[in-house]
Amino acid sequence: MNLRSSWVAETGQTREDTRLTQIGATTPANPLEVRSGILPGSYDGLNRLSGFWLDGTAGTMQATVHEGRAVVAAGATQGAYPVTLPEPAPLTFADGGDNPRIDLVVLKIYDALYDTGTTGGTQPSTATLEIVEGTPDPNPQPPAAPAIGLPLYQVLVRTGISAGKGGINWSTDVTDLRTPTVAVGGILPAVGDTGNGAYPGQYRDSGGALQRWDGSAWVSYPSALGGIAPAGTVGTASYTGQYRDSSAGLLQRWNGSAWVSYQPVPKWVDYTPVWGTETGTKPTIGNGTLAGSYVKTGNVVTVRIYLKIGSTTNLSAQATNANWTFSLPVAPTSTTWKLDGRVLTAVAFDQSTQLFYQGTALLATTNGGIVRSLRDGFALSAGIWDKGLPMTWAANDVLTVYGTYESAS
């Protein structure tokens, strides 16, 4: 395998080795260490990462790893190793056994200066492309990556497969683990999870959008201060008050901890009004129907209250001048002129005569907000509606109260 590396072997490094492997790719991981990874680039410019591409031969256990350049980091005291594969290299996977297993393809650095304690000095200083075999198991797990090894692929070797039994399914059983690295200050192509940034001001290209590490998160750049970020370009906002267009087509605002709809789509919400009286026995609906619904947008409330008298509604027990009231879903504003100047519409329907009676209703802040003083809207009667007004109420008669008012909050 013609895998070229530099600053590994104690002797024998050629000028050609040095020229091929001096790649200047050292994306920082911290003040002393750099990021391991593959240098981006492709022959046709269509792919982010073509280096060390694995291509399997159908029906076999054999694959080819194509040419590429990489950096394998070894830690703060040992440094990083530039590596180049100038021509394709073959790999052969062992046949499957009684249980499936997961093999790991890695780019491994051996350095006798550091490996003596573990290799006994028998392993020469070199860079290799290796298969680390996993343990066969009904629920196989990938093996751990070796020290100073850059994982490239996971390959599932199914039970009993071999070159004569179908071989590895290269289209479904290979998981690409390659990650990119670039020179310090360069824009990192996001392939898979690139992890946290190394310093505020670092950039990466993610999904076609430029992002900047702000010290705690990758955020879209430019942050479009005061503008509306297009859908899909901003995950975490840069500041409280930032706006974006959501994937559902809704305008959202960052409130400091979450994206919330800036102008929420109004939706009706059901509630059950409390039917009361100003005097006498309180009403009970029995087998009738008492329901309500409302929409609240900001401090604007639109409400509808529906009452249908049933055969067991306790009309007979109520006082003659009980004066009906109904609770509101949201308390109205307490400003006097707004309460006096705001009325809701009331409509009574007499089932027996098929007649409608038009009326009005006043708002009050009592008991968290009520509708009261329902009465005729055409000055035909001054009496407040209850069981005797605007007609004698009976089963299947219907009262509807509806309108818009200003809430307290």
Side-chain angles (χ1 to χ4, degrees):
M1 181 186 302
N2 188 21
L3 190 63
R4 312 292 282 269
S5 62
S6 61
W7 315 122
V8 179
E10 295 183 21
T11 61
Q13 177 174 324
T14 67
R15 287 176 293 177
E16 187 178 70
D17 290 332
T18 304
R19 288 195 302 271
L20 284 172
T21 57
Q22 293 313 295
I23 51 184
T26 54
T27 302
N30 57 48
L32 289 179
E33 298 178 288
V34 299
R35 174 190 176 93
S36 293
I38 310 298
L39 266 69
S42 60
Y43 289 110
D44 53 14
L46 298 178
N47 299 292
R48 291 172 180 259
L49 212 59
S50 290
F52 292 88
W53 172 252
L54 186 144
D55 183 22
T57 303
T60 75
M61 306 295 288
Q62 295 181 330
T64 299
V65 176
H66 292 275
E67 60 272 20
R69 297 187 295 169
V71 171
V72 183
T77 60
Q78 193 168 337
Y81 297 82
V83 176
T84 297
L85 180 64
E87 58 190 24
L91 289 177
T92 301
F93 292 82
D95 294 343
D98 294 335
N99 283 305
R101 70 175 193 272
I102 296 176
D103 291 351
L104 193 66
V105 178
V106 298
L107 189 58
K108 176 76 172 75
I109 298 294
Y110 292 93
D111 190 336
L113 183 62
Y114 298 90
D115 298 339
T116 303
T118 57
T119 64
T122 59
Q123 174 65 49
S125 296
T126 186
T128 65
L129 196 60
E130 298 182 357
I131 297 173
V132 181
E133 287 192 15
T135 301
D137 190 271
N139 183 28
Q141 301 298 316
I148 322 180
L150 175 62
L152 301 178
Y153 298 93
Q154 287 179 6
V155 179
L156 174 62
V157 180
R158 298 183 182 272
T159 303
I161 64 167
S162 64
K165 296 182 179 180
I168 294 172
N169 189 331
W170 302 105
S171 62
T172 62
D173 293 348
V174 177
T175 302
D176 192 347
L177 304 179
R178 297 172 303 157
T179 56
T181 189
V182 293
V184 61
I187 297 175
L188 186 70
V191 177
D193 182 14
T194 62
N196 292 340
Y199 54 90
Q202 186 178 5
Y203 291 88
R204 75 175 185 182
D205 180 66
S206 178
L210 186 62
Q211 295 181 328
R212 178 184 180 275
W213 179 255
D214 69 357
S216 60
W218 291 103
V219 296
S220 292
Y221 182 86
S223 59
L225 185 66
I228 299 174
T233 61
V234 175
T236 301
S238 301
Y239 55 91
T240 299
Q242 186 175 7
Y243 291 88
R244 75 174 184 182
D245 179 33
S246 75
S247 58
L250 299 176
L251 182 63
Q252 294 181 324
R253 179 183 181 275
W254 182 257
N255 66 6
S257 60
W259 291 103
V260 296
S261 293
Y262 178 63
Q263 292 181 328
V265 177
K267 293 183 179 180
W268 285 98
V269 178
D270 292 339
Y271 86 106
T272 301
V274 176
W275 183 16
T277 60
E278 294 183 341
T279 61
T281 301
K282 300 300 181 184
T284 56
I285 190 62
N287 62 356
T289 302
L290 177 60
S293 59
Y294 69 100
V295 175
K296 185 176 186 295
T297 305
N299 65 346
V300 178
V301 180
T302 300
V303 64
R304 181 196 180 202
I305 299 170
Y306 175 85
L307 169 67
K308 185 174 184 179
I309 302 297
S311 61
T312 60
T313 302
N314 71 335
L315 291 175
S316 61
Q318 298 178 32
T320 301
N321 295 309
N323 301 341
W324 288 347
T325 66
F326 298 90
S327 66
L328 292 168
V330 182
T333 178
S334 59
T335 303
T336 301
W337 72 266
K338 292 183 178 181
L339 283 175
D340 289 344
R342 172 68 67 183
V343 295
L344 302 182
T345 299
V347 179
F349 174 67
D350 187 341
Q351 172 67 26
S352 63
T353 63
Q354 297 290 294
L355 294 177
F356 286 94
Y357 296 85
Q358 298 292 328
T360 59
L362 297 180
L363 300 176
T365 58
T366 307
N367 297 326
I370 62 170
V371 175
R372 61 178 296 273
S373 295
L374 284 71
R375 67 180 75 211
D376 185 82
F378 296 103
L380 298 178
S381 172
I384 297 176
W385 290 2
D386 46 33
K387 71 175 186 178
L389 286 174
M391 72 279 190
T392 300
W393 289 83
N396 296 319
D397 291 344
V398 174
L399 171 67
T400 300
V401 180
Y402 63 91
T404 301
Y405 65 95
E406 180 181 346
S407 68
S409 61

